Amino acid sequence: MLEKANEYIRQNYIDEKEKPLFHVTPETGWMNDPNGFIYFKGLYHLFYQYYPYAREWGPMHWGHQVTEDLLKWEAYPVAMAPDQDYDHIGCFSGSAVEADGKHVLLYTGVSQKDGKEIQNQCIAIGDGKTYEKWQDNPVIKGDIMPEKFDRKDFRDPKIWKKNGRYYCVVGNRYEENCGQIVLFSSADYKNWRYEKVLLRNDGKNGDMLECPDYLEVDGYPVIICSPQNMHAQKYEFHNGHNSIYIIGDAEKEISDFAWEKKRNLDYGLDFYAPQTTLLPDGRRVMIAWMKSWDARVMTKGQKWQGMMTLPRELKIKDGKIWQSPVRELEKYKKNPTIYTEQKISGQMSLDGINGRVIDMTVEPTNVEGREFKVDVAHNEEYTTTFTYYPEKHQIEIDRTYSGVNADVVCVRKIEIAEKHHAPKLHFIMDRYSVELFINDGEQTASVVIPTPLEANEIIFTSDEAATVNIEKYEITFN
């Protein structure tokens, strides 16, 4: 099955000009959750849920790409295919660790027995390019958990090593409408024991907790997960599948976490299943699937579906996670255009402020009216609008006219955390996406747009006088 997948990719090559410049996309077909994000033998490795044969989800393989700088990615051969009895339904999400100089992938193998789906955790061991599944898989069976813990919804292991011992967290379902994150430990990554429940939701805030990640940021333990089927809670959480984090107790070896302390990770329209890794220089970096399960946002004739966010550096400040684009992006910023104390009245465009692969910061210093707008990927037919409402302390995202041709969510409102001044808006655009970092990353919003590339204007609008500072760079690998 591996060779079949790799041959299909070779025969169905998609021109890179049809894709984003620096965001990870599938070579062909479908992509979802990031998996196995790790630095190993001089390269950053990113695996992902992958179905090469169609633009829709199918039996899950593991795609594989590598990079030296987190921006210029190179596709490697498909790492895993669902070709064993214990994973014949799919090789679901997982993670990676370096062990004894080897590259170990820990993933969920999905199988079926007597008409019932079963999910267990398996390993594959490799050299950074080719991988062999362990002869004694699965290595973590649901049977080692307490009786009421579900065996069907038991997936997405995240592995790490601490003080000479391996740990992993796995998403699980407890009773019908209650998700939980379960902790396991091992001396050798092959023989595991159940430890405890790290987090259990209350059944009122979604159910299954997918893609858990246990990490440390600035000395604080953090749990990240993606609850399914949540209800909107004002501006903090939206309907459907969310991604949240909780900061734990720095005094404990392995922290517990309080569900009521949950916070949103991204306030945009397209963000799910984030995973982090620790870089050799100590930075904690996160990447996520820039898509929603319920949204189909593609250009006409697009031959692939799904992409990843820009990798983001994480910091803790004022009891919250702040995110910023990886600093490696700085070396690809060229041809600056800068406006200082620029007056905006009515609708205006500015010389040199345009493009679809750009880094642009818009910082209002004075907004006298009731709204200030930035329209990107704009022309007479298309636009995506970011509106700041000073009196409400809100930002509204609207991609209604971006070229969406399906019945998907197009508008989202964000309550700005910092209310004492107008927000600093940092836009990263890469052809078919916009990532907004608000107030140096105190909040973020990720949005996919299917707009034709000829729509490259940027328009500023203020219903009354506004003054702004603008700094725009092209992003190029040339």
Side-chain angles (χ1 to χ4, degrees):
M1 290 183 75
L2 270 181
E3 183 50 41
K4 178 186 174 183
N6 287 313
E7 181 59 28
Y8 181 87
I9 293 166
R10 287 190 288 268
Q11 296 295 326
N12 292 272
Y13 173 79
I14 300 173
D15 193 324
E16 293 302 313
K17 293 178 181 178
E18 299 180 30
K19 299 179 180 182
L21 177 65
F22 54 91
H23 285 70
V24 177
T25 55
E27 289 189 273
T28 62
W30 165 276
M31 158 192 286
N32 60 281
D33 309 353
N35 299 156
F37 190 25
I38 192 174
Y39 183 81
F40 178 74
K41 291 188 176 179
L43 293 171
Y44 301 101
H45 293 254
L46 181 69
F47 303 83
Y48 44 88
Q49 293 289 276
Y50 185 39
Y51 185 62
Y53 304 110
R55 295 180 305 172
E56 291 74 36
W57 189 92
M60 284 293 96
H61 298 56
W62 269 39
H64 185 192
Q65 296 189 31
V66 299
T67 178
E68 294 181 348
D69 64 3
L70 297 167
L71 293 164
K72 299 173 74 171
W73 294 88
E74 176 189 352
Y76 268 18
V78 176
M80 290 193 289
D83 54 9
Q84 302 296 318
D85 289 344
Y86 52 78
D87 64 14
H88 70 273
I89 301 296
C91 300
F92 278 17
S93 286
S95 53
V97 70
E98 182 174 352
D100 303 322
K102 299 174 183 176
H103 201 194
V104 179
L105 311 181
L106 178 64
Y107 72 100
T108 298
V110 185
S111 59
Q112 198 172 59
K113 185 176 181 181
D114 300 327
K116 293 182 179 180
E117 186 174 295
I118 302 169
Q119 298 181 352
N120 289 311
Q121 316 319 314
C122 308
I123 59 174
I125 302 171
D127 59 4
K129 199 160 190 177
T130 59
Y131 298 86
E132 185 173 335
K133 294 174 183 176
W134 183 243
Q135 60 190 18
D136 294 324
N137 277 334
V139 294
I140 308 177
K141 294 183 178 180
D143 295 345
I144 71 172
M145 297 188 296
E147 185 177 348
K148 290 186 178 181
F149 292 20
D150 193 73
R151 272 51 171 169
K152 176 181 178 292
D153 288 316
F154 176 46
R155 58 182 175 269
D156 311 337
K158 177 62 189 294
I159 188 172
W160 74 98
K161 189 176 184 180
K162 184 173 183 178
N163 297 331
R165 191 164 183 84
Y166 296 94
Y167 296 89
C168 78
V169 285
V170 186
N172 182 235
R173 189 185 296 271
Y174 177 79
E175 299 183 336
E176 186 176 353
N177 291 313
C178 193
Q180 61 185 8
I181 297 173
V182 185
L183 176 69
F184 300 86
S185 75
S186 171
D188 62 2
Y189 69 80
K190 297 171 184 173
N191 300 281
W192 294 84
R193 74 184 186 200
Y194 165 79
E195 294 288 348
K196 62 178 180 177
V197 173
L198 276 188
L199 177 70
R200 179 178 290 165
N201 74 14
D202 53 13
K204 299 175 183 177
N205 293 270
D207 40 55
M208 179 65 183
L209 303 182
E210 291 198 307
C211 301
D213 192 349
Y214 186 101
L215 56 142
E216 291 187 1
V217 182
D218 297 334
Y220 289 89
V222 177
I223 200 86
I224 288 174
C225 63
S226 294
Q228 294 184 310
N229 305 312
M230 290 184 74
H231 294 297
Q233 298 177 26
K234 276 294 185 179
Y235 305 109
E236 188 65 14
F237 305 106
H238 58 265
N239 291 324
H241 300 344
N242 287 248
S243 293
I244 69 165
Y245 72 93
I246 301 170
I247 299 175
D249 185 351
E251 301 302 317
K252 292 186 176 180
E253 176 74 9
I254 300 292
S255 178
D256 296 304
F257 297 89
W259 182 250
E260 60 272 15
K261 293 183 179 180
K262 63 187 180 301
R263 289 182 179 272
N264 203 345
L265 259 177
D266 190 275
Y267 293 83
L269 294 155
D270 302 285
F271 186 96
Y272 194 69
Q275 188 171 106
T276 74
T277 191
L278 188 65
L279 271 54
D281 61 11
R283 285 179 287 163
R284 176 64 65 171
V285 171
M286 176 180 73
I287 196 167
W289 184 39
M290 193 157 39
K291 193 181 180 317
S292 164
W293 277 111
D294 297 322
R296 181 184 171 94
V297 181
M298 297 191 293
T299 61
K300 186 177 180 179
Q302 186 172 309
K303 301 171 186 174
W304 51 275
Q305 185 174 191
M307 72 176 92
M308 300 302 172
T309 63
L310 177 70
R312 304 172 183 179
E313 298 180 19
L314 304 184
K315 290 286 185 184
I316 288 183
K317 180 180 176 182
D318 301 328
K320 296 184 291 186
I321 284 183
W322 294 51
Q323 305 172 43
S324 59
V326 286
R327 62 195 65 172
E328 285 81 357
L329 187 65
E330 292 296 316
K331 66 183 178 182
Y332 298 116
K333 291 164 58 174
K334 308 287 175 61
N335 305 322
T337 302
I338 298 172
Y339 287 84
T340 303
E341 295 296 308
Q342 172 66 43
K343 304 295 184 184
I344 303 292
S345 182
Q347 188 177 90
M348 297 177 59
S349 60
L350 299 170
D351 288 345
I353 305 296
N354 56 18
R356 291 286 291 274
V357 186
I358 63 169
D359 180 313
M360 179 179 70
T361 300
V362 179
E363 189 168 9
T365 57
N366 183 50
V367 178
E368 296 180 1
R370 289 178 296 177
E371 61 181 45
F372 172 77
K373 294 182 179 181
V374 182
D375 282 87
V376 301
H378 177 90
N379 66 7
E380 291 183 357
E381 184 175 358
Y382 302 103
T383 199
T384 295
T385 306
F386 295 80
T387 305
Y388 165 52
Y389 296 102
E391 294 178 359
K392 299 178 182 179
H393 303 291
Q394 289 180 7
I395 294 172
E396 180 184 85
I397 304 168
D398 187 349
R399 67 173 172 199
T400 302
Y401 305 106
S402 67
V404 171
N405 60 6
D407 187 10
V408 300
V409 175
C410 286
V411 177
R412 185 144 290 156
K413 295 180 179 180
I414 305 167
E415 185 174 45
I416 303 168
E418 172 53 66
K419 296 179 171 59
H420 295 101
H421 56 76
K424 180 180 180 181
L425 307 175
H426 184 188
F427 298 87
I428 304 291
M429 297 182 64
D430 187 7
R431 292 179 181 153
Y432 303 112
S433 65
V434 186
E435 291 173 82
L436 175 62
F437 298 80
I438 303 168
N439 290 328
D440 297 313
E442 185 175 12
Q443 293 167 286
T444 61
S446 304
V447 185
V448 173
I449 56 172
T451 314
L453 295 180
E454 58 264 26
N456 69 345
E457 301 170 23
I458 296 174
I459 304 295
F460 302 93
T461 307
S462 182
D463 59 345
E464 295 184 27
T467 306
V468 298
N469 296 326
I470 303 168
E471 193 169 316
K472 189 221 89 174
Y473 298 84
E474 297 174 8
I475 300 173
T476 176
F477 291 159
N478 296 328

